[in-house]
Short mmCIF file of all heavy atoms in Angstrom, two decimals:
data_model
loop_
_atom_site.label_atom_id
_atom_site.label_comp_id
_atom_site.label_asym_id
_atom_site.label_seq_id
_atom_site.Cartn_x
_atom_site.Cartn_y
_atom_site.Cartn_z
N ASP T 25 -4.38 -21.83 -1.64
CA ASP T 25 -5.40 -22.84 -1.81
C ASP T 25 -5.71 -22.98 -3.30
O ASP T 25 -6.24 -22.07 -3.92
CB ASP T 25 -6.65 -22.44 -1.03
CG ASP T 25 -7.80 -23.43 -1.24
OD1 ASP T 25 -7.55 -24.58 -1.65
OD2 ASP T 25 -8.94 -23.03 -0.97
N LYS T 26 -5.35 -24.10 -3.88
CA LYS T 26 -5.55 -24.33 -5.30
C LYS T 26 -6.88 -25.01 -5.62
O LYS T 26 -7.18 -25.27 -6.77
CB LYS T 26 -4.41 -25.19 -5.85
CG LYS T 26 -3.07 -24.52 -5.77
CD LYS T 26 -2.00 -25.43 -6.30
CE LYS T 26 -0.63 -24.86 -6.05
NZ LYS T 26 0.43 -25.78 -6.44
N SER T 27 -7.69 -25.29 -4.60
CA SER T 27 -8.93 -26.03 -4.84
C SER T 27 -9.88 -25.36 -5.84
O SER T 27 -10.54 -26.06 -6.60
CB SER T 27 -9.64 -26.33 -3.52
OG SER T 27 -10.02 -25.15 -2.87
N PRO T 28 -9.99 -24.03 -5.90
CA PRO T 28 -10.88 -23.44 -6.90
C PRO T 28 -10.43 -23.73 -8.34
O PRO T 28 -11.21 -23.58 -9.27
CB PRO T 28 -10.81 -21.94 -6.61
CG PRO T 28 -10.39 -21.85 -5.19
CD PRO T 28 -9.47 -23.02 -4.98
N PHE T 29 -9.19 -24.13 -8.49
CA PHE T 29 -8.66 -24.39 -9.82
C PHE T 29 -8.48 -25.89 -10.09
O PHE T 29 -7.72 -26.28 -10.95
CB PHE T 29 -7.31 -23.68 -9.97
CG PHE T 29 -7.39 -22.21 -9.66
CD1 PHE T 29 -6.93 -21.72 -8.44
CD2 PHE T 29 -7.95 -21.32 -10.56
CE1 PHE T 29 -7.01 -20.37 -8.15
CE2 PHE T 29 -8.04 -19.97 -10.27
CZ PHE T 29 -7.57 -19.49 -9.06
N ALA T 30 -9.20 -26.71 -9.36
CA ALA T 30 -9.04 -28.16 -9.44
C ALA T 30 -9.24 -28.71 -10.84
O ALA T 30 -8.59 -29.69 -11.22
CB ALA T 30 -9.98 -28.85 -8.46
N ASP T 31 -10.09 -28.09 -11.64
CA ASP T 31 -10.36 -28.58 -12.99
C ASP T 31 -9.41 -28.00 -14.03
O ASP T 31 -9.54 -28.27 -15.22
CB ASP T 31 -11.80 -28.26 -13.39
CG ASP T 31 -12.81 -29.01 -12.55
OD1 ASP T 31 -12.45 -30.06 -11.96
OD2 ASP T 31 -13.96 -28.55 -12.47
N LEU T 32 -8.47 -27.17 -13.60
CA LEU T 32 -7.55 -26.51 -14.51
C LEU T 32 -6.13 -26.97 -14.28
O LEU T 32 -5.78 -27.42 -13.19
CB LEU T 32 -7.62 -24.99 -14.33
CG LEU T 32 -8.99 -24.35 -14.52
CD1 LEU T 32 -8.94 -22.89 -14.13
CD2 LEU T 32 -9.44 -24.49 -15.96
N GLU T 33 -5.30 -26.82 -15.28
CA GLU T 33 -3.88 -27.08 -15.11
C GLU T 33 -3.23 -25.78 -14.62
O GLU T 33 -3.32 -24.75 -15.29
CB GLU T 33 -3.25 -27.50 -16.43
CG GLU T 33 -1.78 -27.77 -16.32
CD GLU T 33 -1.14 -28.14 -17.63
OE1 GLU T 33 -1.80 -28.05 -18.68
OE2 GLU T 33 0.04 -28.53 -17.60
N VAL T 34 -2.62 -25.83 -13.46
CA VAL T 34 -1.97 -24.67 -12.88
C VAL T 34 -0.49 -24.74 -13.21
O VAL T 34 0.18 -25.73 -12.92
CB VAL T 34 -2.18 -24.62 -11.34
CG1 VAL T 34 -1.43 -23.44 -10.75
CG2 VAL T 34 -3.67 -24.52 -11.02
N LEU T 35 0.02 -23.70 -13.84
CA LEU T 35 1.44 -23.62 -14.17
C LEU T 35 2.11 -22.77 -13.12
O LEU T 35 1.80 -21.59 -12.97
CB LEU T 35 1.63 -23.01 -15.56
CG LEU T 35 0.90 -23.71 -16.71
CD1 LEU T 35 1.12 -22.96 -18.02
CD2 LEU T 35 1.34 -25.15 -16.83
N GLU T 36 3.02 -23.35 -12.38
CA GLU T 36 3.68 -22.63 -11.29
C GLU T 36 4.96 -21.96 -11.77
O GLU T 36 5.69 -22.52 -12.58
CB GLU T 36 3.98 -23.60 -10.14
CG GLU T 36 2.71 -24.12 -9.50
CD GLU T 36 2.96 -24.88 -8.22
OE1 GLU T 36 3.88 -24.50 -7.47
OE2 GLU T 36 2.24 -25.85 -7.99
N VAL T 37 5.20 -20.76 -11.24
CA VAL T 37 6.41 -20.01 -11.54
C VAL T 37 7.05 -19.59 -10.22
O VAL T 37 6.44 -19.70 -9.17
CB VAL T 37 6.12 -18.77 -12.41
CG1 VAL T 37 5.56 -19.18 -13.76
CG2 VAL T 37 5.18 -17.81 -11.72
N SER T 38 8.26 -19.09 -10.28
CA SER T 38 8.95 -18.68 -9.06
C SER T 38 8.24 -17.49 -8.42
O SER T 38 7.63 -16.67 -9.11
CB SER T 38 10.40 -18.32 -9.37
OG SER T 38 10.47 -17.09 -10.04
N ALA T 39 8.32 -17.41 -7.11
CA ALA T 39 7.70 -16.31 -6.38
C ALA T 39 8.28 -14.96 -6.82
O ALA T 39 7.57 -13.95 -6.83
CB ALA T 39 7.88 -16.51 -4.88
N ALA T 40 9.53 -14.95 -7.21
CA ALA T 40 10.17 -13.70 -7.65
C ALA T 40 9.53 -13.16 -8.92
O ALA T 40 9.61 -11.97 -9.20
CB ALA T 40 11.66 -13.93 -7.87
N ASP T 41 8.89 -14.03 -9.70
CA ASP T 41 8.26 -13.62 -10.95
C ASP T 41 6.74 -13.57 -10.84
O ASP T 41 6.02 -13.69 -11.83
CB ASP T 41 8.67 -14.56 -12.08
CG ASP T 41 10.06 -14.28 -12.61
OD1 ASP T 41 10.66 -13.28 -12.18
OD2 ASP T 41 10.55 -15.06 -13.44
N ALA T 42 6.22 -13.37 -9.63
CA ALA T 42 4.77 -13.37 -9.43
C ALA T 42 4.06 -12.33 -10.29
O ALA T 42 3.00 -12.61 -10.85
CB ALA T 42 4.45 -13.15 -7.96
N TYR T 43 4.62 -11.15 -10.43
CA TYR T 43 4.00 -10.12 -11.29
C TYR T 43 3.87 -10.65 -12.72
O TYR T 43 2.85 -10.45 -13.38
CB TYR T 43 4.82 -8.83 -11.29
CG TYR T 43 4.32 -7.82 -12.30
CD1 TYR T 43 3.32 -6.92 -11.96
CD2 TYR T 43 4.82 -7.78 -13.60
CE1 TYR T 43 2.84 -6.00 -12.89
CE2 TYR T 43 4.34 -6.88 -14.54
CZ TYR T 43 3.35 -5.99 -14.18
OH TYR T 43 2.87 -5.10 -15.09
N GLY T 44 4.89 -11.33 -13.20
CA GLY T 44 4.89 -11.85 -14.56
C GLY T 44 3.88 -12.95 -14.79
O GLY T 44 3.59 -13.29 -15.93
N ALA T 45 3.34 -13.53 -13.73
CA ALA T 45 2.34 -14.58 -13.87
C ALA T 45 1.01 -14.01 -14.36
O ALA T 45 0.12 -14.77 -14.75
CB ALA T 45 2.15 -15.32 -12.56
N ASN T 46 0.86 -12.71 -14.35
CA ASN T 46 -0.34 -12.07 -14.88
C ASN T 46 -0.18 -12.02 -16.39
O ASN T 46 0.46 -11.13 -16.94
CB ASN T 46 -0.48 -10.67 -14.29
CG ASN T 46 -1.77 -10.00 -14.71
OD1 ASN T 46 -2.11 -9.96 -15.88
ND2 ASN T 46 -2.46 -9.44 -13.75
N VAL T 47 -0.71 -13.02 -17.06
CA VAL T 47 -0.59 -13.15 -18.51
C VAL T 47 -1.97 -13.03 -19.14
O VAL T 47 -2.98 -13.11 -18.47
CB VAL T 47 0.09 -14.47 -18.91
CG1 VAL T 47 1.47 -14.59 -18.28
CG2 VAL T 47 -0.77 -15.67 -18.55
N LEU T 48 -1.98 -12.89 -20.44
CA LEU T 48 -3.23 -12.74 -21.16
C LEU T 48 -3.22 -13.68 -22.36
O LEU T 48 -2.29 -13.66 -23.16
CB LEU T 48 -3.38 -11.29 -21.62
CG LEU T 48 -4.67 -10.90 -22.33
CD1 LEU T 48 -5.86 -11.08 -21.41
CD2 LEU T 48 -4.58 -9.47 -22.81
N LEU T 49 -4.24 -14.51 -22.47
CA LEU T 49 -4.41 -15.40 -23.61
C LEU T 49 -5.41 -14.76 -24.56
O LEU T 49 -6.53 -14.45 -24.17
CB LEU T 49 -4.91 -16.77 -23.16
CG LEU T 49 -5.24 -17.76 -24.27
CD1 LEU T 49 -3.98 -18.15 -25.04
CD2 LEU T 49 -5.91 -18.99 -23.69
N ALA T 50 -4.98 -14.52 -25.80
CA ALA T 50 -5.87 -13.92 -26.79
C ALA T 50 -5.52 -14.45 -28.17
O ALA T 50 -4.34 -14.49 -28.55
CB ALA T 50 -5.75 -12.39 -26.77
N ASN T 51 -6.54 -14.90 -28.89
CA ASN T 51 -6.36 -15.41 -30.25
C ASN T 51 -5.29 -16.49 -30.34
O ASN T 51 -4.53 -16.55 -31.30
CB ASN T 51 -6.05 -14.27 -31.22
CG ASN T 51 -7.21 -13.32 -31.37
OD1 ASN T 51 -8.36 -13.71 -31.28
ND2 ASN T 51 -6.91 -12.05 -31.56
N GLY T 52 -5.20 -17.32 -29.31
CA GLY T 52 -4.27 -18.44 -29.33
C GLY T 52 -2.84 -18.10 -28.91
O GLY T 52 -1.98 -18.96 -28.92
N TYR T 53 -2.59 -16.86 -28.54
CA TYR T 53 -1.26 -16.43 -28.10
C TYR T 53 -1.29 -16.09 -26.63
O TYR T 53 -2.27 -15.53 -26.14
CB TYR T 53 -0.78 -15.20 -28.89
CG TYR T 53 -0.50 -15.50 -30.33
CD1 TYR T 53 -1.50 -15.39 -31.29
CD2 TYR T 53 0.76 -15.90 -30.74
CE1 TYR T 53 -1.25 -15.68 -32.62
CE2 TYR T 53 1.02 -16.18 -32.07
CZ TYR T 53 0.01 -16.06 -33.00
OH TYR T 53 0.26 -16.36 -34.31
N VAL T 54 -0.19 -16.37 -25.94
CA VAL T 54 -0.06 -15.98 -24.55
C VAL T 54 0.84 -14.75 -24.51
O VAL T 54 2.00 -14.80 -24.91
CB VAL T 54 0.55 -17.12 -23.70
CG1 VAL T 54 0.66 -16.68 -22.24
CG2 VAL T 54 -0.28 -18.39 -23.81
N PHE T 55 0.29 -13.65 -24.03
CA PHE T 55 1.03 -12.40 -23.91
C PHE T 55 1.59 -12.32 -22.50
O PHE T 55 0.85 -12.47 -21.52
CB PHE T 55 0.12 -11.20 -24.20
CG PHE T 55 -0.35 -11.16 -25.63
CD1 PHE T 55 -1.48 -11.85 -26.02
CD2 PHE T 55 0.37 -10.45 -26.57
CE1 PHE T 55 -1.91 -11.83 -27.34
CE2 PHE T 55 -0.06 -10.42 -27.89
CZ PHE T 55 -1.20 -11.11 -28.27
N VAL T 56 2.91 -12.11 -22.41
CA VAL T 56 3.59 -12.07 -21.12
C VAL T 56 4.43 -10.80 -21.03
O VAL T 56 4.85 -10.25 -22.05
CB VAL T 56 4.48 -13.31 -20.88
CG1 VAL T 56 3.68 -14.58 -20.92
CG2 VAL T 56 5.61 -13.38 -21.88
N SER T 57 4.69 -10.37 -19.82
CA SER T 57 5.56 -9.22 -19.60
C SER T 57 7.01 -9.65 -19.80
O SER T 57 7.45 -10.66 -19.26
CB SER T 57 5.37 -8.67 -18.19
OG SER T 57 4.07 -8.16 -18.04
N LYS T 58 7.73 -8.86 -20.54
CA LYS T 58 9.14 -9.14 -20.82
C LYS T 58 9.96 -9.07 -19.53
O LYS T 58 9.71 -8.23 -18.67
CB LYS T 58 9.66 -8.11 -21.82
CG LYS T 58 11.02 -8.40 -22.38
CD LYS T 58 11.40 -7.30 -23.34
CE LYS T 58 11.84 -7.93 -24.62
NZ LYS T 58 12.19 -6.92 -25.63
N GLY T 59 10.91 -9.98 -19.40
CA GLY T 59 11.83 -9.96 -18.26
C GLY T 59 11.50 -10.95 -17.17
O GLY T 59 12.26 -11.08 -16.21
N PHE T 60 10.39 -11.64 -17.28
CA PHE T 60 10.01 -12.64 -16.28
C PHE T 60 10.31 -14.02 -16.87
O PHE T 60 9.44 -14.69 -17.42
CB PHE T 60 8.55 -12.46 -15.87
CG PHE T 60 8.33 -11.15 -15.17
CD1 PHE T 60 7.96 -10.03 -15.87
CD2 PHE T 60 8.58 -11.04 -13.81
CE1 PHE T 60 7.79 -8.81 -15.23
CE2 PHE T 60 8.43 -9.84 -13.15
CZ PHE T 60 8.04 -8.72 -13.87
N ASN T 61 11.57 -14.39 -16.73
CA ASN T 61 12.09 -15.57 -17.43
C ASN T 61 11.44 -16.88 -17.01
O ASN T 61 11.22 -17.75 -17.85
CB ASN T 61 13.60 -15.64 -17.27
CG ASN T 61 14.29 -14.44 -17.87
OD1 ASN T 61 13.76 -13.81 -18.78
ND2 ASN T 61 15.44 -14.09 -17.37
N SER T 62 11.12 -17.04 -15.73
CA SER T 62 10.53 -18.32 -15.33
C SER T 62 9.13 -18.46 -15.92
O SER T 62 8.72 -19.55 -16.31
CB SER T 62 10.49 -18.48 -13.81
OG SER T 62 9.56 -17.61 -13.21
N VAL T 63 8.42 -17.36 -16.05
CA VAL T 63 7.09 -17.39 -16.68
C VAL T 63 7.24 -17.75 -18.15
O VAL T 63 6.56 -18.64 -18.67
CB VAL T 63 6.36 -16.04 -16.52
CG1 VAL T 63 5.04 -16.05 -17.25
CG2 VAL T 63 6.17 -15.71 -15.05
N ARG T 64 8.13 -17.07 -18.82
CA ARG T 64 8.38 -17.33 -20.24
C ARG T 64 8.76 -18.78 -20.47
O ARG T 64 8.23 -19.45 -21.36
CB ARG T 64 9.50 -16.42 -20.74
CG ARG T 64 9.84 -16.63 -22.22
CD ARG T 64 11.19 -16.09 -22.58
NE ARG T 64 12.21 -16.79 -21.81
CZ ARG T 64 13.32 -16.22 -21.36
NH1 ARG T 64 13.56 -14.96 -21.57
NH2 ARG T 64 14.19 -16.92 -20.67
N ASP T 65 9.65 -19.31 -19.64
CA ASP T 65 10.12 -20.68 -19.80
C ASP T 65 9.02 -21.71 -19.58
O ASP T 65 8.92 -22.70 -20.30
CB ASP T 65 11.30 -20.95 -18.87
CG ASP T 65 12.53 -20.12 -19.23
OD1 ASP T 65 12.58 -19.55 -20.35
OD2 ASP T 65 13.44 -20.04 -18.38
N VAL T 66 8.17 -21.49 -18.57
CA VAL T 66 7.07 -22.41 -18.31
C VAL T 66 6.11 -22.45 -19.50
O VAL T 66 5.67 -23.52 -19.93
CB VAL T 66 6.32 -22.02 -17.01
CG1 VAL T 66 4.98 -22.72 -16.91
CG2 VAL T 66 7.17 -22.31 -15.79
N ILE T 67 5.82 -21.30 -20.06
CA ILE T 67 4.90 -21.24 -21.20
C ILE T 67 5.53 -21.89 -22.43
O ILE T 67 4.87 -22.65 -23.15
CB ILE T 67 4.47 -19.78 -21.46
CG1 ILE T 67 3.62 -19.30 -20.28
CG2 ILE T 67 3.70 -19.66 -22.77
CD1 ILE T 67 3.34 -17.83 -20.28
N ARG T 68 6.78 -21.61 -22.67
CA ARG T 68 7.47 -22.22 -23.82
C ARG T 68 7.52 -23.74 -23.70
O ARG T 68 7.34 -24.45 -24.70
CB ARG T 68 8.87 -21.67 -23.95
CG ARG T 68 8.91 -20.33 -24.61
CD ARG T 68 10.32 -19.94 -24.97
NE ARG T 68 10.30 -18.64 -25.63
CZ ARG T 68 11.30 -17.79 -25.60
NH1 ARG T 68 12.41 -18.08 -24.95
NH2 ARG T 68 11.22 -16.63 -26.22
N LYS T 69 7.78 -24.25 -22.50
CA LYS T 69 7.84 -25.70 -22.30
C LYS T 69 6.50 -26.37 -22.60
O LYS T 69 6.47 -27.55 -22.94
CB LYS T 69 8.29 -26.03 -20.88
CG LYS T 69 9.75 -25.80 -20.64
CD LYS T 69 10.15 -26.12 -19.21
CE LYS T 69 11.60 -25.75 -18.98
NZ LYS T 69 12.00 -25.91 -17.59
N ARG T 70 5.41 -25.65 -22.46
CA ARG T 70 4.09 -26.19 -22.76
C ARG T 70 3.79 -26.11 -24.25
O ARG T 70 2.77 -26.58 -24.71
CB ARG T 70 2.99 -25.45 -22.00
CG ARG T 70 3.17 -25.42 -20.49
CD ARG T 70 3.44 -26.74 -19.91
NE ARG T 70 2.21 -27.48 -19.67
CZ ARG T 70 2.19 -28.78 -19.41
NH1 ARG T 70 3.31 -29.45 -19.38
NH2 ARG T 70 1.07 -29.38 -19.19
N GLY T 71 4.66 -25.47 -25.01
CA GLY T 71 4.48 -25.35 -26.46
C GLY T 71 3.44 -24.32 -26.87
O GLY T 71 2.93 -24.36 -27.99
N LEU T 72 3.16 -23.39 -25.98
CA LEU T 72 2.16 -22.36 -26.28
C LEU T 72 2.81 -21.19 -27.03
O LEU T 72 3.93 -20.79 -26.71
CB LEU T 72 1.52 -21.86 -24.99
CG LEU T 72 0.83 -22.92 -24.15
CD1 LEU T 72 0.47 -22.37 -22.77
CD2 LEU T 72 -0.41 -23.43 -24.86
N PRO T 73 2.12 -20.63 -28.03
CA PRO T 73 2.66 -19.46 -28.74
C PRO T 73 2.80 -18.29 -27.77
O PRO T 73 1.86 -17.98 -27.03
CB PRO T 73 1.61 -19.16 -29.81
CG PRO T 73 0.74 -20.36 -29.88
CD PRO T 73 0.83 -21.05 -28.56
N LEU T 74 3.92 -17.64 -27.79
CA LEU T 74 4.27 -16.64 -26.78
C LEU T 74 4.62 -15.32 -27.43
O LEU T 74 5.33 -15.28 -28.44
CB LEU T 74 5.47 -17.17 -25.98
CG LEU T 74 6.10 -16.28 -24.95
CD1 LEU T 74 5.23 -16.23 -23.71
CD2 LEU T 74 7.47 -16.81 -24.58
N VAL T 75 4.13 -14.24 -26.84
CA VAL T 75 4.50 -12.89 -27.25
C VAL T 75 4.94 -12.15 -26.00
O VAL T 75 4.16 -12.02 -25.05
CB VAL T 75 3.32 -12.14 -27.92
CG1 VAL T 75 3.72 -10.72 -28.28
CG2 VAL T 75 2.82 -12.89 -29.14
N GLU T 76 6.19 -11.69 -25.98
CA GLU T 76 6.69 -10.92 -24.84
C GLU T 76 6.50 -9.43 -25.12
O GLU T 76 6.84 -8.95 -26.19
CB GLU T 76 8.17 -11.21 -24.59
CG GLU T 76 8.43 -12.58 -24.03
CD GLU T 76 9.89 -12.79 -23.68
OE1 GLU T 76 10.27 -12.49 -22.55
OE2 GLU T 76 10.63 -13.24 -24.57
N LEU T 77 5.96 -8.73 -24.14
CA LEU T 77 5.70 -7.30 -24.29
C LEU T 77 6.42 -6.51 -23.21
O LEU T 77 6.50 -6.93 -22.05
CB LEU T 77 4.19 -7.02 -24.17
CG LEU T 77 3.30 -7.71 -25.20
CD1 LEU T 77 1.84 -7.51 -24.83
CD2 LEU T 77 3.58 -7.18 -26.58
N GLU T 78 6.92 -5.35 -23.58
CA GLU T 78 7.54 -4.45 -22.61
C GLU T 78 6.42 -3.78 -21.81
O GLU T 78 5.54 -3.14 -22.39
CB GLU T 78 8.37 -3.39 -23.35
CG GLU T 78 9.14 -2.50 -22.43
CD GLU T 78 10.10 -3.27 -21.56
OE1 GLU T 78 11.00 -3.92 -22.09
OE2 GLU T 78 9.92 -3.20 -20.32
N THR T 79 6.43 -3.95 -20.50
CA THR T 79 5.35 -3.42 -19.66
C THR T 79 5.85 -2.48 -18.57
O THR T 79 5.14 -2.26 -17.59
CB THR T 79 4.56 -4.58 -19.03
OG1 THR T 79 5.44 -5.38 -18.24
CG2 THR T 79 3.86 -5.43 -20.07
N THR T 80 7.04 -1.93 -18.74
CA THR T 80 7.59 -1.10 -17.67
C THR T 80 6.72 0.12 -17.37
O THR T 80 6.59 0.52 -16.21
CB THR T 80 9.02 -0.64 -18.00
OG1 THR T 80 9.02 -0.02 -19.30
CG2 THR T 80 9.99 -1.79 -18.00
N GLU T 81 6.10 0.71 -18.37
CA GLU T 81 5.28 1.90 -18.13
C GLU T 81 3.99 1.56 -17.40
O GLU T 81 3.60 2.29 -16.48
CB GLU T 81 4.97 2.63 -19.45
CG GLU T 81 6.20 3.27 -20.08
CD GLU T 81 6.87 4.28 -19.17
OE1 GLU T 81 6.18 5.15 -18.60
OE2 GLU T 81 8.10 4.23 -19.03
N ILE T 82 3.31 0.47 -17.76
CA ILE T 82 2.07 0.15 -17.05
C ILE T 82 2.37 -0.37 -15.64
O ILE T 82 1.54 -0.23 -14.75
CB ILE T 82 1.17 -0.83 -17.83
CG1 ILE T 82 1.83 -2.18 -18.04
CG2 ILE T 82 0.72 -0.24 -19.13
CD1 ILE T 82 0.89 -3.23 -18.60
N ARG T 83 3.56 -0.92 -15.43
CA ARG T 83 3.95 -1.35 -14.08
C ARG T 83 4.07 -0.16 -13.15
O ARG T 83 3.83 -0.27 -11.94
CB ARG T 83 5.26 -2.13 -14.12
CG ARG T 83 5.07 -3.52 -14.71
CD ARG T 83 6.35 -4.28 -14.72
NE ARG T 83 6.72 -4.62 -13.35
CZ ARG T 83 7.90 -5.07 -12.99
NH1 ARG T 83 8.84 -5.25 -13.89
NH2 ARG T 83 8.16 -5.36 -11.74
N LYS T 84 4.46 1.00 -13.68
CA LYS T 84 4.58 2.21 -12.86
C LYS T 84 3.24 2.58 -12.24
O LYS T 84 3.19 3.22 -11.19
CB LYS T 84 5.11 3.37 -13.69
CG LYS T 84 6.56 3.21 -14.10
CD LYS T 84 7.00 4.35 -14.99
CE LYS T 84 8.42 4.15 -15.46
NZ LYS T 84 8.84 5.23 -16.39
N ALA T 85 2.15 2.19 -12.87
CA ALA T 85 0.80 2.46 -12.36
C ALA T 85 0.27 1.27 -11.57
O ALA T 85 -0.91 1.20 -11.29
CB ALA T 85 -0.13 2.78 -13.52
N ASP T 86 1.17 0.35 -11.23
CA ASP T 86 0.80 -0.86 -10.50
C ASP T 86 -0.25 -1.67 -11.26
O ASP T 86 -1.20 -2.19 -10.70
CB ASP T 86 0.31 -0.54 -9.09
CG ASP T 86 0.34 -1.76 -8.18
OD1 ASP T 86 1.17 -2.66 -8.43
OD2 ASP T 86 -0.46 -1.81 -7.24
N ALA T 87 -0.07 -1.73 -12.59
CA ALA T 87 -1.00 -2.46 -13.45
C ALA T 87 -0.26 -3.61 -14.12
O ALA T 87 0.96 -3.72 -14.04
CB ALA T 87 -1.59 -1.52 -14.48
N ALA T 88 -1.02 -4.46 -14.78
CA ALA T 88 -0.45 -5.60 -15.50
C ALA T 88 -1.23 -5.82 -16.79
O ALA T 88 -2.15 -5.06 -17.11
CB ALA T 88 -0.49 -6.85 -14.62
N LEU T 89 -0.88 -6.85 -17.54
CA LEU T 89 -1.49 -7.07 -18.84
C LEU T 89 -3.01 -7.19 -18.80
O LEU T 89 -3.70 -6.65 -19.66
CB LEU T 89 -0.89 -8.31 -19.50
CG LEU T 89 0.55 -8.16 -19.96
CD1 LEU T 89 1.10 -9.49 -20.43
CD2 LEU T 89 0.65 -7.13 -21.06
N THR T 90 -3.54 -7.88 -17.81
CA THR T 90 -4.99 -8.03 -17.77
C THR T 90 -5.70 -6.71 -17.47
O THR T 90 -6.88 -6.57 -17.78
CB THR T 90 -5.42 -9.10 -16.76
OG1 THR T 90 -4.89 -8.79 -15.48
CG2 THR T 90 -4.96 -10.47 -17.19
N CYS T 91 -4.97 -5.75 -16.91
CA CYS T 91 -5.56 -4.43 -16.67
C CYS T 91 -5.74 -3.66 -17.98
O CYS T 91 -6.50 -2.70 -18.04
CB CYS T 91 -4.67 -3.60 -15.75
SG CYS T 91 -4.47 -4.30 -14.11
N CYS T 92 -5.05 -4.08 -19.02
CA CYS T 92 -5.07 -3.40 -20.31
C CYS T 92 -6.00 -4.10 -21.29
O CYS T 92 -5.93 -3.84 -22.50
CB CYS T 92 -3.66 -3.36 -20.91
SG CYS T 92 -2.49 -2.47 -19.90
N SER T 93 -6.83 -4.98 -20.82
CA SER T 93 -7.68 -5.74 -21.73
C SER T 93 -9.15 -5.49 -21.44
O SER T 93 -9.54 -5.14 -20.34
CB SER T 93 -7.37 -7.22 -21.59
OG SER T 93 -7.68 -7.68 -20.29
N ILE T 94 -9.93 -5.66 -22.48
CA ILE T 94 -11.38 -5.61 -22.35
C ILE T 94 -11.87 -6.99 -22.78
O ILE T 94 -11.60 -7.44 -23.89
CB ILE T 94 -12.00 -4.53 -23.24
CG1 ILE T 94 -11.47 -3.16 -22.86
CG2 ILE T 94 -13.51 -4.59 -23.18
CD1 ILE T 94 -11.90 -2.05 -23.78
N LEU T 95 -12.56 -7.68 -21.90
CA LEU T 95 -13.05 -9.01 -22.20
C LEU T 95 -14.50 -8.94 -22.61
O LEU T 95 -15.30 -8.26 -21.99
CB LEU T 95 -12.90 -9.91 -20.97
CG LEU T 95 -11.47 -10.01 -20.41
CD1 LEU T 95 -11.48 -10.84 -19.14
CD2 LEU T 95 -10.52 -10.58 -21.43
N TRP T 96 -14.81 -9.62 -23.69
CA TRP T 96 -16.21 -9.71 -24.12
C TRP T 96 -16.51 -11.07 -24.64
O TRP T 96 -15.69 -11.84 -24.94
CB TRP T 96 -16.57 -8.63 -25.15
CG TRP T 96 -15.90 -8.78 -26.47
CD1 TRP T 96 -16.36 -9.45 -27.56
CD2 TRP T 96 -14.63 -8.25 -26.85
NE1 TRP T 96 -15.47 -9.36 -28.60
CE2 TRP T 96 -14.38 -8.63 -28.18
CE3 TRP T 96 -13.66 -7.49 -26.21
CZ2 TRP T 96 -13.23 -8.29 -28.88
CZ3 TRP T 96 -12.51 -7.16 -26.91
CH2 TRP T 96 -12.32 -7.54 -28.22
#
C-alpha cells in the first residue's frame, strides 16, 4: 500500500534487492549498500550523489544503514 507515501516520489527497485533499498540520505549524499545494483542504478538515474558502502558485517547482525545512524 503506497498511499502513506502519496506526497513523495517512490523509487522502485527489484524485490531481490529489497535489503539494498534501505538507504540513508545525509548531507546531500545517498548512502547505499554495495552490491545492490538495481538500487544503485535507480539512484544514479535520478542524478543523486551516491556513496556505496560495504555493509557485509552489519548485515550479519540483520542490520542496515539506517540502523547505523542517529537522527537529530
Side-chain angles (χ1 to χ4, degrees):
D25 177 20
K26 296 179 188 175
S27 63
F29 305 103
D31 294 338
L32 302 173
E33 180 182 8
V34 177
L35 304 177
E36 294 190 36
V37 297
S38 73
D41 282 353
Y43 173 87
N46 185 311
V47 302
L48 183 63
L49 175 65
N51 295 327
Y53 292 89
V54 181
F55 294 87
V56 301
S57 296
K58 190 180 231 178
F60 295 92
N61 299 334
S62 71
V63 176
R64 180 199 62 215
D65 294 345
V66 165
I67 293 170
R68 280 191 179 152
K69 286 179 185 174
R70 304 311 276 166
L72 301 169
L74 175 75
V75 177
E76 289 185 90
L77 300 171
E78 185 59 61
T79 59
T80 53
E81 292 301 312
I82 63 171
R83 287 181 70 193
K84 291 177 183 177
D86 198 28
L89 290 173
T90 56
C91 297
C92 299
S93 63
I94 299 174
L95 304 176
W96 67 91

